[in-house]
């Protein structure tokens, strides 16, 4: 089908709906990303992506990620194709279009002022951009400027929020545009050498985004990414602390403490920790140290809070910087019940070659966290023990722990375990590990099991595994077709037939057809032809599937 033939191939109902979508402006975006290749976004009950490719002969290849499957294509594709046809058919201009910059330059000052004011009154975004441009350009008060920045950020959020103030998923990228524009002001301030102003603006954006993430669907991660960008800038500012005057450095220090204590930070401990860590770099005297510790104690109430546990490591850094080795050792002893502090203690003991102490701390951690039913930490302490056993060349304890990790599904430990035994000894150990992996009760066991079978060239066992798990045939066929081609092709058949039976939209059909292509690549062209012929008979009422099968 070509662009000129759309009406001949699409049902009248779908064609009419596509025309209506185009006329109503439901095509949000349409871009020719390459010659004859188009990407579009169309608004319906959701935002759908439409991709179109026109081949050398002008034939259309299109897809949409909507669930519709009752015709050759959906109304979203039709709307986009009609728009592309109009674009392609548009007459070329006989002379080059004048540049906008030249046209604007030709206007008088009065004409420019009139034009800007007219657009500012009629188009809210133009006014917002102008307001942002003139902030801090008129020698205004810095606090007033920050309030203006907040107002601009919030105006974009309100524009894209629903009645209750919640910003839905589809509007989040637009809601943060004000914050992105304000952040450009911070970048400009940094370029001009005004680190404090840049930091104030950045923290202003940070707090507004922390508020937004609590009242938006940030599944896309746009708000979170912008928050992390702000924190990255804060880190850059604190790293430049040595180049600041003592007064500016002190101001930046207090600014970061105040930002960490901001009520809007709520339960976002990771972000508060980032601010505390950066402010720690700016501490230079006992007074600032006291203020920093008071801030940490205020935020991390309760020894068992995540913030308190992580802040303990930061406190230890202060003790190392300002206090004696004895005080540092005492702090570790008192706080070794905290995971990160115990890690520091074990690392210190190993670096001092005090392996007995390192083992004691690791075993103590195992017992403590086993009682607390924290298996992840128990494994962590066992791995610390294994590290010590390797350093002390304790073979039997190494074998015991390495086999435990290998049997639980950690493939690198399987390879290490193999190195700890002679060929004669390995047979019995291999049988034990394989038996545990076959049970497949632990996460990662299946992945490690198949890796072991490939490593040991256990092709028959791998075939049995793939037979029981046909969805893995695409992953493992290359290891099997040399010895068991017919068996592999039948597994492909089973997987493809199950995939087609469950498919209900074009994307699912494309996935099924991709498996058919892999089968052909594996050498099963005859089996593929049989599958395609059977599918044509069984699913003849699915035009989208017929279309995809034609492309195989």
């Amino acid at each position: 089908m070509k662009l000129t033939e759309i009406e001949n191939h699409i049902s009248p109902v779908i064609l009419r709906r596509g025309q209506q979508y185009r006329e109503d402006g439901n095509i949000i975006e349409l871009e020719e990303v390459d010659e004859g290749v188009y990407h579009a976004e169309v608004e319906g009950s959701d935002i759908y992506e439409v991709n179109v490719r026109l081949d050398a002969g002008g034939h259309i290849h299109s897809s949409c990620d909507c669930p519709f499957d009752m015709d050759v294509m959906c109304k979203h594709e039709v709307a986009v194709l009609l728009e592309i046809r109009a674009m392609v058919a548009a007459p070329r201009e006989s002379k080059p279009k004048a540049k906008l910059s030249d046209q604007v330059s030709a206007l008088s000052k009065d004409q420019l002022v009139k034009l800007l004011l007219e657009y500012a009154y009629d188009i809210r975004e133009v006014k917002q951009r102008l307001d942002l441009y003139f902030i801090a350009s008129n020698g205004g008060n810095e606090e007033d400027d920050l309030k203006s920045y907040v107002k601009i950020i919030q105006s974009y959020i309100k524009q894209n929020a629903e009645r209750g103030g919640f910003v839905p998923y589809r509007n989040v990228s637009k809601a943060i545009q004000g914050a992105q524009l304000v952040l450009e002001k911070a970048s400009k301030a940094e370029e001009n050498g005004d680190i404090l102003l840049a930091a104030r603006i950045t923290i202003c954006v940070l707090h507004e985004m922390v508020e937004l993430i609590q009242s938006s669907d940030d599944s896309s991660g746009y708000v979170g990414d912008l928050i992390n960008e702000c924190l990255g800038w804060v880190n850059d500012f604190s790293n430049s602390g040595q180049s600041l005057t003592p007064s500016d450095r002190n101001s930046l220090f207090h600014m970061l403490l105040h930002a960490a204590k901001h009520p809007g930070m709520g339960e976002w401990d990771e972000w508060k920790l980032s601010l505390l860590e950066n402010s720690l770099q700016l501490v230079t005297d006992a007074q600032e140290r006291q203020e920093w510790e008071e801030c940490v104690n205020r935020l991390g109430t309760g020894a068992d809070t995540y913030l308190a546990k992580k802040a303990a490591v930061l406190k230890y850094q202060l003790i190392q910087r300002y206090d004696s080795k004895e005080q540092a050792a005492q702090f570790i002893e008192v706080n070794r019940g905290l995971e990160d502090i115990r890690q520091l203690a074990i690392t210190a003991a190993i670096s001092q070659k005090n392996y007995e102490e390192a083992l004691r701390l690791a075993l103590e951690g195992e017992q403590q966290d086993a009682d607390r039913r924290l298996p992840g930490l128990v494994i962590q302490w066992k791995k610390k023990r294994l590290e010590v056993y390797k350093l002390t060349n304790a073979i039997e304890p190494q074998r015991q722990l390495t086999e435990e990790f290998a049997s639980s599904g950690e493939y690198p430990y399987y390879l290490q375990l193999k190195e700890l035994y002679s060929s004669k000894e390995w047979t019995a150990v291999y049988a034990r590990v394989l038996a545990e992996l076959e049970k497949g009760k632990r996460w990662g066991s299946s992945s490690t099991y198949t890796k072991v079978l490939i490593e040991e060239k256990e092709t028959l066992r791998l075939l049995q595994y793939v037979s029981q798990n046909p969805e893995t045939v695409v992953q493992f066929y290359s290891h099997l077709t040399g010895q068991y081609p017919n068996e592999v092709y039948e597994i492909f058949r089973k997987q493809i037939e199950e995939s087609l039976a469950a498919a209900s939209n074009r994307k699912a059909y494309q996935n099924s057809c991709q498996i058919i292509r892999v089968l052909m690549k594996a050498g099963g062209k005859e089996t593929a032809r049989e599958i395609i012929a059977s599918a044509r008979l069984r699913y003849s009422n699915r035009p989208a599937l017929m279309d995809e099968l034609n492309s195989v």
Side-chain angles (χ1 to χ4, degrees):
M1 178 173 64
K2 298 183 178 181
L3 288 173
T4 55
E5 303 168 346
I6 294 174
E7 287 81 358
N8 300 333
H9 293 271
I10 308 299
S11 69
V13 173
I14 299 301
L15 182 62
R16 186 168 60 253
R17 290 175 180 170
Q19 289 169 333
Q20 193 65 52
Y21 259 52
R22 179 179 174 239
E23 291 167 7
D24 290 347
N26 287 55
I27 301 174
I28 300 172
E29 180 183 328
L30 174 57
E31 180 184 3
E32 186 174 11
V33 294
D34 202 348
E35 185 176 355
V37 180
Y38 300 84
H39 174 79
E41 290 185 359
V42 182
E43 185 172 15
S45 55
D46 203 339
I47 304 296
Y48 297 111
E49 289 191 9
V50 176
N51 290 293
V52 176
R53 179 174 65 84
L54 304 178
D55 64 23
H59 295 96
I60 298 167
H61 303 271
S62 67
S63 66
C64 178
D65 61 358
C66 77
F68 179 77
D69 180 40
M70 300 303 291
D71 207 327
V72 175
M73 60 180 59
C74 65
K75 59 190 174 185
H76 312 108
E77 291 171 271
V78 172
V80 171
L81 289 173
L82 292 172
E83 185 65 25
I84 292 172
R85 185 168 71 180
M87 289 167 54
V88 171
R92 301 288 181 182
E93 295 186 11
S94 57
K95 59 180 181 178
K97 186 177 179 180
K99 290 183 179 179
L100 180 61
S101 58
D102 293 336
Q103 291 175 311
V104 172
S105 298
L107 296 176
S108 68
K109 178 181 176 182
D110 289 343
Q111 287 174 315
L112 275 172
V113 171
K114 183 181 178 181
L115 185 65
L116 281 173
L117 289 176
E118 183 179 326
Y119 283 171
Y121 287 133
D122 292 344
I123 306 172
R124 179 186 291 183
E125 188 174 349
V126 172
K127 184 177 186 305
Q128 290 168 334
R129 292 291 187 106
L130 289 172
D131 287 343
L132 184 62
Y133 178 82
F134 288 116
I135 291 175
S137 298
N138 301 320
N141 179 275
E142 193 172 287
E143 288 302 317
D144 290 339
D145 290 344
L146 289 174
K147 290 177 183 177
S148 297
Y149 290 138
V150 170
K151 187 176 178 182
I152 288 170
I153 294 170
Q154 291 181 351
S155 69
Y156 276 83
I157 294 172
K158 288 175 183 176
Q159 280 175 238
N160 292 282
E162 295 175 337
R163 184 172 296 178
F166 186 83
V167 179
Y169 169 83
R170 65 180 180 275
N171 290 353
V172 171
S173 61
K174 298 174 185 174
I176 64 171
Q177 287 178 356
Q180 292 170 325
L181 291 171
V182 171
L183 211 51
E184 290 176 12
K185 284 284 189 178
S187 178
K188 191 68 176 176
E190 184 184 21
E191 288 175 11
N192 294 335
D194 196 339
I195 298 297
L196 286 186
L197 177 58
R200 286 192 182 95
I201 297 172
T202 302
I203 290 170
C204 165
V205 173
L206 171 67
H207 287 151
E208 292 304 312
M209 292 301 97
V210 171
E211 293 284 352
L212 174 60
I213 204 169
Q214 298 173 79
S215 59
S216 65
D217 178 357
D218 191 40
S219 304
S220 59
Y222 289 130
V223 184
D225 287 346
L226 194 54
I227 289 171
N228 288 325
E229 183 180 349
C230 289
L231 292 171
W233 286 29
V234 167
N235 182 61
D236 292 341
F237 300 149
S238 60
N239 286 336
S240 65
Q242 292 182 345
S243 64
L244 298 175
T245 64
S247 175
D248 284 352
R249 183 204 49 75
N250 183 264
S251 295
L252 181 58
F253 167 73
H254 286 100
M255 193 188 305
L256 298 188
L257 285 189
H258 181 72
K261 292 185 289 187
H262 190 279
M265 296 300 286
E267 301 300 316
W268 304 100
D269 287 348
E270 282 284 358
W271 297 332
K272 284 189 280 191
L273 273 169
S274 179
L275 292 166
L276 290 172
E277 189 172 0
N278 283 299
S279 62
L280 179 62
Q281 297 183 53
L282 301 168
V283 172
T284 58
D285 56 40
Q287 176 62 34
E288 289 175 347
R289 176 183 179 179
Q290 181 181 343
E291 291 180 54
W292 186 89
E293 289 179 333
E294 286 174 355
C295 179
V296 170
N297 292 336
R298 175 181 169 184
L299 293 173
T301 53
D304 284 335
T305 65
Y306 172 81
L307 183 61
K309 291 175 182 178
K310 295 298 180 181
V313 176
L314 300 181
K315 288 182 179 180
Y316 179 65
Q317 292 176 13
L318 269 182
I319 291 172
Q320 284 183 306
R321 192 190 304 178
Y322 291 106
D323 299 333
S324 65
K325 290 183 179 179
E326 290 75 16
Q327 287 171 300
Q330 183 182 9
F331 181 85
I332 282 183
E333 182 63 27
V334 171
N335 293 280
R336 71 175 190 271
L338 300 176
E339 170 198 347
D340 291 337
I341 298 299
R342 185 179 296 278
Q343 283 275 21
L344 288 172
I346 293 173
T347 301
I350 290 174
S351 67
Q352 296 162 12
K353 298 186 178 181
N354 189 350
Y355 300 125
E356 197 172 306
E357 174 65 6
L359 284 175
R360 182 186 73 80
L361 288 166
L363 283 165
E364 185 181 76
E366 281 180 52
Q367 184 59 55
Q368 170 187 288
D369 291 320
D371 293 342
R372 294 161 63 190
R373 297 182 180 178
L374 299 171
L377 289 178
V378 171
I379 291 171
Q380 179 177 286
W381 305 130
K382 284 184 176 181
K383 288 182 178 178
K384 279 295 178 183
R385 272 206 291 138
L386 180 57
E387 184 181 340
V388 175
Y389 293 144
K390 287 179 179 178
L391 290 168
T392 56
N393 201 30
I395 299 299
E396 282 307 316
Q398 275 189 72
R399 287 175 168 179
Q400 180 185 352
L401 284 175
T402 306
E403 182 173 338
E404 180 181 334
F405 296 142
S407 298
S408 69
E410 297 193 54
Y411 183 67
Y413 288 94
Y414 173 81
L415 298 177
Q416 293 176 30
L417 183 64
K418 199 172 179 180
E419 295 295 320
L420 292 171
Y421 288 93
S422 67
S423 301
K424 186 176 180 181
E425 295 172 311
W426 176 242
T427 304
V429 179
Y430 173 65
R432 285 200 308 268
V433 173
L434 206 60
E436 285 298 314
L437 290 173
E438 282 176 340
K439 294 176 184 177
K441 293 181 179 179
R442 302 185 188 181
W443 183 87
S445 294
S446 294
S447 173
T448 297
Y449 179 64
T450 51
K451 286 179 181 177
V452 169
L453 295 182
I454 293 167
E455 166 76 15
E456 304 299 342
K457 296 180 172 53
E458 292 261 20
T459 313
L460 181 57
R461 284 194 179 190
L462 182 60
L463 178 66
Q464 291 168 347
Y465 175 85
V466 174
S467 298
Q468 294 166 4
N469 303 275
E471 69 279 1
T472 65
V473 68
V474 171
Q475 183 179 359
F476 297 117
Y477 78 89
S478 61
H479 301 286
L480 299 169
T481 48
Q483 289 182 253
Y484 305 103
N486 294 329
E487 290 87 343
V488 172
Y489 300 155
E490 288 308 307
I491 297 171
F492 264 109
R493 186 195 300 275
K494 180 181 178 182
Q495 173 60 12
I496 293 165
E497 288 177 349
E498 290 179 357
S499 174
L500 286 172
S504 60
N505 57 56
R506 185 178 287 270
K507 185 166 283 186
Y509 297 151
Q510 290 171 343
N511 291 337
S512 298
C513 289
Q514 181 57 33
I515 302 174
I516 296 175
R517 292 187 184 94
V518 177
L519 168 58
M520 296 172 71
K521 181 181 177 183
K525 292 183 179 179
E526 183 59 37
T527 306
R529 280 193 285 270
E530 292 172 5
I531 293 169
I532 292 172
S534 174
R536 288 190 188 284
L537 291 173
R538 184 176 297 182
Y539 305 112
S540 58
N541 62 336
R542 300 185 184 180
L545 174 57
M546 298 300 104
D547 190 35
E548 291 301 326
L549 288 172
N550 287 336
S551 68
V552 174

